[in-house]
Amino acid sequence: MESNKISQLEMSKPPVSVTHDADNDMPTGLIRRAGGMYSTRRRIPLALVPHYKGKAEEVRALGTNNPTEARRLHALMWVQLD
């Protein structure tokens, strides 16, 4: 009976998104630092690396330790980097 409950629970989980971590549902590129502050990281496409002075990724501090605010700022930062 116990295994039946587990299988029902597993089936009710939403599918894991490509842009989210399976364990904590944190958007890809959103980083929580050791001190609790958040940063965002985005890979630079290889064709554009020369335009970014050879940098392979862009990392920026979001200036918050609030996860809701970090998600909002992360989304804005990704739009700005496009």
Side-chain angles (χ1 to χ4, degrees), residues 12 17 28 30-31 34 51 59-60:
S12 68
S17 169
T28 299
L30 183 59
I31 306 162
H51 299 285
V59 179
R60 296 189 186 170

Side-chain angles (χ1 to χ4, degrees), residues 1-56:
M1 192 66 156
E2 186 75 27
S3 63
N4 190 23
K5 287 181 184 179
I6 292 171
S7 63
Q8 287 177 345
L9 177 63
E10 288 296 321
M11 290 175 25
S12 68
K13 283 184 174 181
V16 176
S17 169
V18 176
T19 59
H20 287 79
D21 183 291
D23 294 329
N24 60 12
D25 200 34
M26 189 182 302
T28 299
L30 183 59
I31 306 162
R32 185 170 185 265
R33 301 289 183 176
M37 298 298 279
Y38 287 88
S39 296
T40 189
R41 177 177 62 200
R42 185 154 186 197
R43 299 273 311 151
I44 306 295
L46 287 176
L48 297 178
V49 168
H51 299 285
Y52 284 85
K53 301 177 184 172
K55 293 193 309 185

